[in-house]
Amino acid sequence: MDATTGLPWAAQCLGMAFSAFSLCLVSLAVVLLLVRRWPWCSCHVCRAYLTGSWAKDFTNLGDWYAHLLRESPTGTVHVHVLGCTVTANPANVEYMLKTNFDNFPKGKTFSAVLGDLLGGGIFNVDGDAWRHQRKMSSLELGSVAVRSYAYKIVAQEIDARLMPVLAAAADDAGKIIDLQDVFRRFAFDTICKISFGLDPGCLEREMPMSKLAAAFDAATRLCAMRGAAASPLLWKAKRLLNVGSERELRDAIKLVDELAAAMIRERRKLGVANSHDLLSRFMASADAVDDKYLRDIVVSFLLAGRDTVSSALTTLFMLLSNNPAVAAAMRAEAATGDSLSAVTYEHLKDLHYTHAVLYENMRLFPPVQFDSKFCAAADVLPDGTYVSGGARVMYHPYAMGRMPRIWGADHAEFRPDRWLTGAGGSFVPESLYKYPVFQAGLRVCLGKELAVTEMKAVAVAVVREFDVEVVGDSGSGACACAPKFVSGLTASVSGGLPVRIRRVKK
């Protein structure tokens, strides 16, 4: 046999050996998982999680958690197979996010789960790196110039792109569109303009899909799968072998990296002087800025500004479809001007009922349904729960919005009036520790005001001109109260939100 004949055979043998090694490694990971977690914990909670039997009675994992937390006397439960304590107790939330903040960092485990996507961005770091980015972000997002610039972009996007898309659907009798997809495209265009000064054009009439948006969707979904795994050994083994979901994640992140780099190059080419977009301001003010640092900022802004806004708007119009009286009240309150451009930022702030509707929507359907911290040193939570050092602690806004001890017997009802307790029926917020939709304490969301303004602007513009009717299972009966969500870092409705758009009769 000559050398050329032997090469294919050698390659085949090497491939078979590698496959056998891969199978052994994955098998070892499964064995280690079983030895570590099973059957040492045979409680009903762990068995339900591992077997998926919770899905027989609950639409979403979050609904199951809400049930467990309502049943718990303290509003806290342990999921031993995850090494996790889950809480919906406001006192615990305040303790973690404020009182003993330094003992509940994001932690290395969390950073590992999201590190390939978020890198060293603000959502994935602790300590000095977090303080530095937060200080810079606070200065920029608190700037009057940036807020004015952002509102102008939001108004232009609504008038020039969102409203024409909805009008075209309304004029095409019987046409059904996926409103979730529309809002995701709108939010993606808007955050790219605000953050980077660039326009991906996702919400044009022909509705092209951005490769970056698709890759970002896949990356966030697959990172969430890592966090839900009973053991990190499983996804780490697949990442090492570059197989399955980890291979898909690597491909998605590669595309995110490439297009984020293209954004940075384009921003540099256009120049940063006298530009109000956030990336330009970071470039102009940061010391020793490198492309990796800027890439992580780009990805963090996309996660914060696109997925959360589109998620909240999707569930908002799902609820309004089933509550036409609420939509009518919003319409009456917002009856000013012919376009959003005629509605001032100050006027939006005075729309107390609309503000209450937005908060009530996010109480029931928070865009980020849970958040995890890690307990650095062994601690005891205010409700008496002991947490060992290195353990994961999760507070659950989705479950908290469904707790009668926080919201009363009507906690399951969509009732915006619960927020109008101020003079003359004005909006009064609840404690952020009871309503941690925007986090709270030292990590409270810096973009909160900008996000609420954007959502309010969209809500006002759409309800004044259109009635939105959800069609299919998503719009009737129990499904409207418990939509099925896709596993991800933010909440998105499985299958989208199919709707018919009708013009309001004037």
Side-chain angles (χ1 to χ4, degrees):
M1 181 183 296
D2 60 30
T4 57
T5 305
L7 283 176
W9 172 249
Q12 185 177 3
C13 289
L14 184 62
M16 292 173 63
F18 181 76
S19 297
F21 172 75
S22 301
L23 181 60
C24 290
L25 194 59
V26 171
S27 299
L28 176 62
V30 172
V31 170
L32 288 173
L33 168 66
L34 293 174
V35 169
R36 181 183 179 190
R37 304 293 193 189
W38 191 271
W40 309 118
C41 180
S42 59
C43 73
H44 72 284
V45 172
C46 293
R47 286 188 179 275
Y49 185 87
L50 285 174
T51 63
S53 62
W54 60 265
K56 296 177 182 178
D57 301 308
F58 301 96
T59 306
N60 302 289
L61 185 61
D63 296 313
W64 178 59
Y65 277 132
H67 166 74
L68 294 176
L69 293 164
R70 281 194 299 269
E71 295 292 311
S72 167
T74 61
T76 302
V77 296
H78 294 290
V79 185
H80 307 102
V81 294
L82 295 177
C84 183
T85 298
V86 186
T87 188
N89 187 318
N92 291 346
V93 175
E94 183 172 6
Y95 185 76
M96 293 162 56
L97 300 184
K98 178 185 176 183
T99 309
N100 203 13
F101 173 80
D102 289 337
N103 199 42
F104 293 91
K106 287 287 184 180
K108 292 181 179 179
T109 303
F110 183 92
S111 296
V113 168
L114 297 181
D116 292 331
L117 175 62
L118 297 183
I122 190 171
F123 300 121
N124 205 41
V125 291
D126 294 303
D128 291 340
W130 168 74
R131 291 185 183 90
H132 175 69
Q133 289 189 53
R134 185 170 179 86
K135 181 179 179 180
M136 290 187 62
S137 299
S138 179
L139 289 172
E140 301 304 339
L141 290 169
S143 162
V144 174
V146 168
R147 290 183 180 180
S148 175
Y149 167 79
Y151 180 68
K152 183 178 179 181
I153 286 175
V154 169
Q156 289 174 343
E157 285 294 303
I158 290 172
D159 284 343
R161 283 183 173 162
L162 178 62
M163 298 303 281
V165 166
L166 298 181
D171 294 339
D172 188 352
K175 181 178 181 180
I176 296 175
I177 63 171
D178 179 0
L179 193 60
Q180 177 170 258
D181 182 57
V182 170
F183 284 144
R184 293 177 90 174
R185 293 169 185 269
F186 163 80
F188 190 75
D189 283 352
T190 302
I191 195 61
C192 284
K193 281 189 169 184
I194 293 172
S195 297
F196 320 127
L198 302 172
D199 182 9
C202 286
L203 198 57
E204 298 289 355
R205 286 291 187 95
E206 60 272 17
M207 301 285 278
M209 187 58 186
S210 164
K211 289 183 179 179
L212 176 56
F216 199 75
D217 288 344
T220 56
R221 173 177 54 83
L222 294 166
C223 282
M225 287 174 57
R226 283 180 172 182
S231 171
L233 290 173
L234 297 175
W235 67 261
K236 286 182 178 180
K238 288 196 291 183
R239 182 176 65 173
L240 177 66
L241 301 172
N242 194 29
V243 297
S245 59
E246 286 297 314
R247 182 172 184 173
E248 184 183 354
L249 176 60
R250 182 171 295 181
D251 291 341
I253 290 176
K254 181 180 178 182
L255 185 54
V256 169
D257 289 346
E258 290 173 354
L259 295 177
M263 282 186 169
I264 293 167
R265 287 195 301 270
E266 183 66 18
R267 187 64 263 166
R268 281 203 175 105
K269 187 188 301 182
L270 294 173
V272 301
N274 301 316
S275 296
H276 293 297
D277 64 274
L278 294 172
L279 182 59
S280 293
R281 295 171 77 92
F282 265 85
M283 286 179 168
S285 63
D287 297 327
V289 170
D290 59 36
D291 283 2
K292 176 63 170 63
Y293 176 80
L294 293 174
R295 176 265 180 209
D296 294 343
I297 288 174
V298 166
V299 174
S300 295
F301 282 159
L302 286 175
L303 180 64
R306 185 198 75 144
D307 290 12
T308 53
V309 168
S310 60
S311 173
L313 288 173
T314 298
T315 54
L316 170 65
F317 282 92
M318 179 192 70
L319 287 169
L320 292 181
S321 175
N322 287 275
N323 295 272
V326 174
M330 292 173 64
R331 189 174 297 129
E333 181 184 53
T336 303
D338 296 325
S339 69
L340 188 64
S341 300
V343 179
T344 65
Y345 178 79
E346 288 70 26
H347 179 66
L348 276 184
K349 291 179 68 174
D350 290 336
L351 301 180
H352 288 264
Y353 185 77
T354 299
H355 205 103
V357 172
L358 289 175
Y359 267 60
E360 181 70 347
N361 164 54
M362 290 186 289
R363 177 183 72 83
L364 291 170
F365 301 113
V368 179
Q369 296 187 347
F370 63 90
D371 192 19
S372 293
K373 309 295 182 186
F374 280 83
C375 186
D379 208 338
V380 178
L381 300 179
D383 67 0
T385 300
Y386 173 80
V387 183
S388 60
R392 180 181 175 188
V393 187
M394 178 196 300
Y395 68 91
H396 211 291
Y398 182 89
M400 292 179 77
R402 289 160 169 73
M403 298 291 283
R405 69 189 73 177
I406 299 177
W407 300 103
D410 63 351
H411 63 91
E413 296 179 21
F414 176 60
R415 189 172 67 80
D417 288 350
R418 75 174 75 241
W419 298 89
L420 302 176
T421 58
S426 58
F427 174 86
V428 176
E430 262 290 0
S431 162
L432 289 180
Y433 304 108
K434 293 182 179 180
Y435 183 81
V437 170
F438 297 98
Q439 290 210 53
L442 297 179
R443 277 191 181 263
V444 68
C445 176
L446 293 172
K448 172 185 172 183
E449 184 174 344
L450 178 59
V452 170
T453 299
E454 182 176 352
M455 290 185 286
K456 189 183 286 190
V458 171
V460 166
V462 175
V463 299
R464 288 191 313 179
E465 299 296 327
F466 304 110
D467 279 319
V468 176
E469 177 195 359
V470 178
V471 299
D473 290 341
S474 296
S476 61
C479 291
C481 299
K484 184 174 178 57
F485 291 103
V486 179
S487 175
L489 300 180
T490 54
S492 60
V493 178
S494 177
L497 191 71
V499 302
R500 286 192 183 91
I501 308 293
R502 296 187 176 89
R503 291 186 182 273
V504 172
K505 296 180 180 179
K506 297 181 179 180

PDB file of all heavy atoms in Angstrom, residues 204-229:
ATOM      1  N   GLU A 204     -38.527  47.753   6.668  1.00  0.00           N
ATOM      2  CA  GLU A 204     -38.951  48.323   5.405  1.00  0.00           C
ATOM      3  C   GLU A 204     -40.210  47.597   4.943  1.00  0.00           C
ATOM      4  O   GLU A 204     -40.572  46.543   5.453  1.00  0.00           O
ATOM      5  CB  GLU A 204     -37.834  48.188   4.358  1.00  0.00           C
ATOM      6  CG  GLU A 204     -36.550  48.917   4.717  1.00  0.00           C
ATOM      7  CD  GLU A 204     -36.671  50.432   4.628  1.00  0.00           C
ATOM      8  OE1 GLU A 204     -37.721  50.930   4.195  1.00  0.00           O
ATOM      9  OE2 GLU A 204     -35.698  51.113   5.009  1.00  0.00           O
ATOM     10  N   ARG A 205     -40.854  48.148   3.904  1.00  0.00           N
ATOM     11  CA  ARG A 205     -42.105  47.547   3.436  1.00  0.00           C
ATOM     12  C   ARG A 205     -41.930  46.074   3.044  1.00  0.00           C
ATOM     13  O   ARG A 205     -42.776  45.239   3.277  1.00  0.00           O
ATOM     14  CB  ARG A 205     -42.634  48.342   2.220  1.00  0.00           C
ATOM     15  CG  ARG A 205     -43.228  49.694   2.568  1.00  0.00           C
ATOM     16  CD  ARG A 205     -44.534  49.539   3.345  1.00  0.00           C
ATOM     17  NE  ARG A 205     -45.178  50.816   3.523  1.00  0.00           N
ATOM     18  CZ  ARG A 205     -46.135  51.287   2.709  1.00  0.00           C
ATOM     19  NH1 ARG A 205     -46.538  50.584   1.679  1.00  0.00           N
ATOM     20  NH2 ARG A 205     -46.694  52.464   2.940  1.00  0.00           N
ATOM     21  N   GLU A 206     -40.774  45.767   2.388  1.00  0.00           N
ATOM     22  CA  GLU A 206     -40.575  44.386   1.943  1.00  0.00           C
ATOM     23  C   GLU A 206     -40.106  43.470   3.074  1.00  0.00           C
ATOM     24  O   GLU A 206     -39.900  42.276   2.878  1.00  0.00           O
ATOM     25  CB  GLU A 206     -39.559  44.340   0.792  1.00  0.00           C
ATOM     26  CG  GLU A 206     -38.180  44.877   1.126  1.00  0.00           C
ATOM     27  CD  GLU A 206     -38.053  46.386   0.906  1.00  0.00           C
ATOM     28  OE1 GLU A 206     -39.102  47.060   0.802  1.00  0.00           O
ATOM     29  OE2 GLU A 206     -36.918  46.884   0.854  1.00  0.00           O
ATOM     30  N   MET A 207     -39.869  44.061   4.272  1.00  0.00           N
ATOM     31  CA  MET A 207     -39.542  43.311   5.477  1.00  0.00           C
ATOM     32  C   MET A 207     -38.336  42.386   5.319  1.00  0.00           C
ATOM     33  O   MET A 207     -38.420  41.173   5.516  1.00  0.00           O
ATOM     34  CB  MET A 207     -40.755  42.488   5.928  1.00  0.00           C
ATOM     35  CG  MET A 207     -41.992  43.309   6.228  1.00  0.00           C
ATOM     36  SD  MET A 207     -41.866  44.191   7.790  1.00  0.00           S
ATOM     37  CE  MET A 207     -42.316  42.886   8.921  1.00  0.00           C
ATOM     38  N   PRO A 208     -37.160  42.911   4.951  1.00  0.00           N
ATOM     39  CA  PRO A 208     -35.969  42.055   4.919  1.00  0.00           C
ATOM     40  C   PRO A 208     -35.564  41.664   6.330  1.00  0.00           C
ATOM     41  O   PRO A 208     -35.848  42.376   7.276  1.00  0.00           O
ATOM     42  CB  PRO A 208     -34.910  42.968   4.286  1.00  0.00           C
ATOM     43  CG  PRO A 208     -35.347  44.349   4.691  1.00  0.00           C
ATOM     44  CD  PRO A 208     -36.853  44.315   4.701  1.00  0.00           C
ATOM     45  N   MET A 209     -34.903  40.544   6.467  1.00  0.00           N
ATOM     46  CA  MET A 209     -34.477  40.087   7.789  1.00  0.00           C
ATOM     47  C   MET A 209     -32.975  40.276   7.942  1.00  0.00           C
ATOM     48  O   MET A 209     -32.203  39.845   7.089  1.00  0.00           O
ATOM     49  CB  MET A 209     -34.832  38.612   8.001  1.00  0.00           C
ATOM     50  CG  MET A 209     -34.563  38.127   9.417  1.00  0.00           C
ATOM     51  SD  MET A 209     -35.482  39.083  10.658  1.00  0.00           S
ATOM     52  CE  MET A 209     -34.819  38.405  12.170  1.00  0.00           C
ATOM     53  N   SER A 210     -32.566  40.921   8.983  1.00  0.00           N
ATOM     54  CA  SER A 210     -31.158  41.145   9.241  1.00  0.00           C
ATOM     55  C   SER A 210     -30.496  39.849   9.688  1.00  0.00           C
ATOM     56  O   SER A 210     -30.998  39.133  10.545  1.00  0.00           O
ATOM     57  CB  SER A 210     -30.991  42.211  10.333  1.00  0.00           C
ATOM     58  OG  SER A 210     -29.699  42.187  10.856  1.00  0.00           O
ATOM     59  N   LYS A 211     -29.334  39.541   9.095  1.00  0.00           N
ATOM     60  CA  LYS A 211     -28.582  38.357   9.508  1.00  0.00           C
ATOM     61  C   LYS A 211     -28.141  38.479  10.966  1.00  0.00           C
ATOM     62  O   LYS A 211     -28.107  37.506  11.701  1.00  0.00           O
ATOM     63  CB  LYS A 211     -27.368  38.173   8.603  1.00  0.00           C
ATOM     64  CG  LYS A 211     -27.700  37.729   7.190  1.00  0.00           C
ATOM     65  CD  LYS A 211     -26.426  37.500   6.391  1.00  0.00           C
ATOM     66  CE  LYS A 211     -26.743  37.027   4.983  1.00  0.00           C
ATOM     67  NZ  LYS A 211     -25.502  36.811   4.181  1.00  0.00           N
ATOM     68  N   LEU A 212     -27.802  39.708  11.355  1.00  0.00           N
ATOM     69  CA  LEU A 212     -27.381  39.922  12.734  1.00  0.00           C
ATOM     70  C   LEU A 212     -28.531  39.633  13.697  1.00  0.00           C
ATOM     71  O   LEU A 212     -28.345  38.993  14.729  1.00  0.00           O
ATOM     72  CB  LEU A 212     -26.887  41.354  12.921  1.00  0.00           C
ATOM     73  CG  LEU A 212     -26.497  41.762  14.350  1.00  0.00           C
ATOM     74  CD1 LEU A 212     -25.435  40.829  14.915  1.00  0.00           C
ATOM     75  CD2 LEU A 212     -25.998  43.200  14.382  1.00  0.00           C
ATOM     76  N   ALA A 213     -29.746  40.075  13.343  1.00  0.00           N
ATOM     77  CA  ALA A 213     -30.896  39.830  14.210  1.00  0.00           C
ATOM     78  C   ALA A 213     -31.168  38.340  14.348  1.00  0.00           C
ATOM     79  O   ALA A 213     -31.432  37.834  15.453  1.00  0.00           O
ATOM     80  CB  ALA A 213     -32.129  40.541  13.650  1.00  0.00           C
ATOM     81  N   ALA A 214     -31.089  37.599  13.232  1.00  0.00           N
ATOM     82  CA  ALA A 214     -31.343  36.155  13.273  1.00  0.00           C
ATOM     83  C   ALA A 214     -30.278  35.439  14.097  1.00  0.00           C
ATOM     84  O   ALA A 214     -30.588  34.549  14.902  1.00  0.00           O
ATOM     85  CB  ALA A 214     -31.377  35.595  11.852  1.00  0.00           C
ATOM     86  N   ALA A 215     -29.008  35.835  13.916  1.00  0.00           N
ATOM     87  CA  ALA A 215     -27.928  35.207  14.675  1.00  0.00           C
ATOM     88  C   ALA A 215     -28.055  35.538  16.153  1.00  0.00           C
ATOM     89  O   ALA A 215     -27.803  34.690  17.020  1.00  0.00           O
ATOM     90  CB  ALA A 215     -26.574  35.672  14.137  1.00  0.00           C
ATOM     91  N   PHE A 216     -28.463  36.753  16.455  1.00  0.00           N
ATOM     92  CA  PHE A 216     -28.621  37.169  17.846  1.00  0.00           C
ATOM     93  C   PHE A 216     -29.738  36.376  18.514  1.00  0.00           C
ATOM     94  O   PHE A 216     -29.610  35.953  19.669  1.00  0.00           O
ATOM     95  CB  PHE A 216     -28.915  38.667  17.889  1.00  0.00           C
ATOM     96  CG  PHE A 216     -28.665  39.284  19.229  1.00  0.00           C
ATOM     97  CD1 PHE A 216     -27.372  39.526  19.662  1.00  0.00           C
ATOM     98  CD2 PHE A 216     -29.716  39.635  20.062  1.00  0.00           C
ATOM     99  CE1 PHE A 216     -27.127  40.095  20.907  1.00  0.00           C
ATOM    100  CE2 PHE A 216     -29.485  40.200  21.299  1.00  0.00           C
ATOM    101  CZ  PHE A 216     -28.187  40.434  21.721  1.00  0.00           C
ATOM    102  N   ASP A 217     -30.834  36.150  17.788  1.00  0.00           N
ATOM    103  CA  ASP A 217     -31.935  35.336  18.312  1.00  0.00           C
ATOM    104  C   ASP A 217     -31.446  33.934  18.685  1.00  0.00           C
ATOM    105  O   ASP A 217     -31.750  33.410  19.765  1.00  0.00           O
ATOM    106  CB  ASP A 217     -33.054  35.214  17.273  1.00  0.00           C
ATOM    107  CG  ASP A 217     -33.825  36.503  17.104  1.00  0.00           C
ATOM    108  OD1 ASP A 217     -33.720  37.381  17.975  1.00  0.00           O
ATOM    109  OD2 ASP A 217     -34.523  36.630  16.084  1.00  0.00           O
ATOM    110  N   ALA A 218     -30.701  33.323  17.762  1.00  0.00           N
ATOM    111  CA  ALA A 218     -30.210  31.969  18.002  1.00  0.00           C
ATOM    112  C   ALA A 218     -29.249  31.939  19.183  1.00  0.00           C
ATOM    113  O   ALA A 218     -29.321  31.042  20.033  1.00  0.00           O
ATOM    114  CB  ALA A 218     -29.514  31.437  16.746  1.00  0.00           C
ATOM    115  N   ALA A 219     -28.371  32.928  19.276  1.00  0.00           N
ATOM    116  CA  ALA A 219     -27.372  32.945  20.351  1.00  0.00           C
ATOM    117  C   ALA A 219     -28.026  33.093  21.722  1.00  0.00           C
ATOM    118  O   ALA A 219     -27.645  32.401  22.672  1.00  0.00           O
ATOM    119  CB  ALA A 219     -26.375  34.069  20.108  1.00  0.00           C
ATOM    120  N   THR A 220     -29.003  33.982  21.853  1.00  0.00           N
ATOM    121  CA  THR A 220     -29.655  34.162  23.150  1.00  0.00           C
ATOM    122  C   THR A 220     -30.454  32.923  23.549  1.00  0.00           C
ATOM    123  O   THR A 220     -30.464  32.527  24.719  1.00  0.00           O
ATOM    124  CB  THR A 220     -30.579  35.394  23.139  1.00  0.00           C
ATOM    125  OG1 THR A 220     -31.533  35.278  22.071  1.00  0.00           O
ATOM    126  CG2 THR A 220     -29.781  36.668  22.935  1.00  0.00           C
ATOM    127  N   ARG A 221     -31.094  32.281  22.564  1.00  0.00           N
ATOM    128  CA  ARG A 221     -31.858  31.066  22.864  1.00  0.00           C
ATOM    129  C   ARG A 221     -30.939  29.947  23.342  1.00  0.00           C
ATOM    130  O   ARG A 221     -31.231  29.253  24.333  1.00  0.00           O
ATOM    131  CB  ARG A 221     -32.619  30.619  21.603  1.00  0.00           C
ATOM    132  CG  ARG A 221     -33.319  29.278  21.726  1.00  0.00           C
ATOM    133  CD  ARG A 221     -34.107  28.948  20.464  1.00  0.00           C
ATOM    134  NE  ARG A 221     -33.305  29.018  19.265  1.00  0.00           N
ATOM    135  CZ  ARG A 221     -32.512  28.022  18.832  1.00  0.00           C
ATOM    136  NH1 ARG A 221     -32.426  26.897  19.530  1.00  0.00           N
ATOM    137  NH2 ARG A 221     -31.831  28.136  17.706  1.00  0.00           N
ATOM    138  N   LEU A 222     -29.816  29.772  22.689  1.00  0.00           N
ATOM    139  CA  LEU A 222     -28.910  28.683  23.033  1.00  0.00           C
ATOM    140  C   LEU A 222     -28.170  28.947  24.343  1.00  0.00           C
ATOM    141  O   LEU A 222     -27.873  28.015  25.094  1.00  0.00           O
ATOM    142  CB  LEU A 222     -27.922  28.462  21.885  1.00  0.00           C
ATOM    143  CG  LEU A 222     -28.582  27.949  20.594  1.00  0.00           C
ATOM    144  CD1 LEU A 222     -27.635  28.086  19.410  1.00  0.00           C
ATOM    145  CD2 LEU A 222     -29.028  26.503  20.753  1.00  0.00           C
ATOM    146  N   CYS A 223     -27.873  30.210  24.633  1.00  0.00           N
ATOM    147  CA  CYS A 223     -27.271  30.533  25.929  1.00  0.00           C
ATOM    148  C   CYS A 223     -28.245  30.239  27.059  1.00  0.00           C
ATOM    149  O   CYS A 223     -27.849  29.780  28.135  1.00  0.00           O
ATOM    150  CB  CYS A 223     -26.848  32.007  25.963  1.00  0.00           C
ATOM    151  SG  CYS A 223     -25.309  32.359  25.075  1.00  0.00           S
ATOM    152  N   ALA A 224     -29.525  30.514  26.834  1.00  0.00           N
ATOM    153  CA  ALA A 224     -30.536  30.210  27.845  1.00  0.00           C
ATOM    154  C   ALA A 224     -30.620  28.702  28.098  1.00  0.00           C
ATOM    155  O   ALA A 224     -30.830  28.269  29.235  1.00  0.00           O
ATOM    156  CB  ALA A 224     -31.896  30.739  27.405  1.00  0.00           C
ATOM    157  N   MET A 225     -30.429  27.903  27.061  1.00  0.00           N
ATOM    158  CA  MET A 225     -30.423  26.449  27.223  1.00  0.00           C
ATOM    159  C   MET A 225     -29.274  26.016  28.126  1.00  0.00           C
ATOM    160  O   MET A 225     -29.408  25.089  28.930  1.00  0.00           O
ATOM    161  CB  MET A 225     -30.310  25.768  25.855  1.00  0.00           C
ATOM    162  CG  MET A 225     -31.562  25.842  25.014  1.00  0.00           C
ATOM    163  SD  MET A 225     -31.321  25.179  23.344  1.00  0.00           S
ATOM    164  CE  MET A 225     -30.764  23.514  23.704  1.00  0.00           C
ATOM    165  N   ARG A 226     -28.131  26.692  28.015  1.00  0.00           N
ATOM    166  CA  ARG A 226     -27.017  26.397  28.920  1.00  0.00           C
ATOM    167  C   ARG A 226     -27.435  26.602  30.374  1.00  0.00           C
ATOM    168  O   ARG A 226     -27.168  25.771  31.235  1.00  0.00           O
ATOM    169  CB  ARG A 226     -25.839  27.321  28.620  1.00  0.00           C
ATOM    170  CG  ARG A 226     -25.010  26.992  27.414  1.00  0.00           C
ATOM    171  CD  ARG A 226     -23.890  28.024  27.287  1.00  0.00           C
ATOM    172  NE  ARG A 226     -22.908  27.701  26.271  1.00  0.00           N
ATOM    173  CZ  ARG A 226     -21.836  28.437  26.016  1.00  0.00           C
ATOM    174  NH1 ARG A 226     -21.620  29.533  26.721  1.00  0.00           N
ATOM    175  NH2 ARG A 226     -20.977  28.077  25.074  1.00  0.00           N
ATOM    176  N   GLY A 227     -28.074  27.746  30.635  1.00  0.00           N
ATOM    177  CA  GLY A 227     -28.454  28.075  32.000  1.00  0.00           C
ATOM    178  C   GLY A 227     -29.479  27.132  32.585  1.00  0.00           C
ATOM    179  O   GLY A 227     -29.544  26.955  33.808  1.00  0.00           O
ATOM    180  N   ALA A 228     -30.291  26.515  31.717  1.00  0.00           N
ATOM    181  CA  ALA A 228     -31.341  25.607  32.194  1.00  0.00           C
ATOM    182  C   ALA A 228     -30.852  24.180  32.366  1.00  0.00           C
ATOM    183  O   ALA A 228     -31.570  23.336  32.903  1.00  0.00           O
ATOM    184  CB  ALA A 228     -32.520  25.629  31.224  1.00  0.00           C
ATOM    185  N   ALA A 229     -29.632  23.888  31.918  1.00  0.00           N
ATOM    186  CA  ALA A 229     -29.113  22.523  32.011  1.00  0.00           C
ATOM    187  C   ALA A 229     -28.910  22.127  33.474  1.00  0.00           C
ATOM    188  O   ALA A 229     -28.495  22.937  34.306  1.00  0.00           O
ATOM    189  CB  ALA A 229     -27.792  22.412  31.253  1.00  0.00           C
TER     190      ALA A 229
END
